[in-house]
Amino acid sequence: MTTKSSEERSTAARARAEASFKKEERAKDGALAMMEYLANAKMVRERTERLRALRLAKQEVDKEREVPAAANKSKGAKKR
């Protein structure tokens, strides 16, 4: 029967504790990375929505400006 010495048990316990600590650190880092990813995705969506609203408003203004300009051209005298 083989018995482990106190030093061997201590070394094994320390290795398990370090592995557990590293695992917890990776989990924390992963959670932090996910929070950053989600925050960044939300920011991109908000910017996209704002830019889309600005683009649609500009297109509407441009469309309103085109209609009177087109009406003025058709009312003019025709050249022969």
Side-chain angles (χ1 to χ4, degrees):
M1 182 178 344
T2 314
T3 58
K4 292 184 179 180
S5 69
S6 175
E7 187 176 315
E8 289 174 336
R9 284 190 297 252
S10 176
T11 304
R14 172 175 267 158
R16 284 192 305 272
E18 287 178 5
S20 177
F21 177 75
K22 287 180 182 178
K23 185 176 179 180
E24 289 176 14
E25 285 296 310
R26 282 194 305 270
K28 288 178 186 177
D29 289 345
L32 179 62
M34 181 57 75
M35 286 174 45
E36 290 175 359
Y37 171 79
L38 293 174
N40 189 27
K42 180 182 177 187
M43 185 174 57
V44 168
R45 281 192 306 273
E46 289 171 352
R47 284 183 184 172
T48 302
E49 289 174 14
R50 184 178 61 83
L51 290 172
R52 181 174 186 265
L54 290 171
R55 178 180 48 85
L56 292 175
K58 181 183 181 306
Q59 287 176 344
E60 189 66 29
V61 168
D62 290 346
K63 185 187 289 186
E64 290 173 2
R65 288 182 182 166
E66 277 183 16
V67 172
N72 289 339
K73 288 181 183 177
S74 64
K75 290 182 181 179
K78 295 182 182 178
K79 293 184 179 180
R80 293 185 182 185

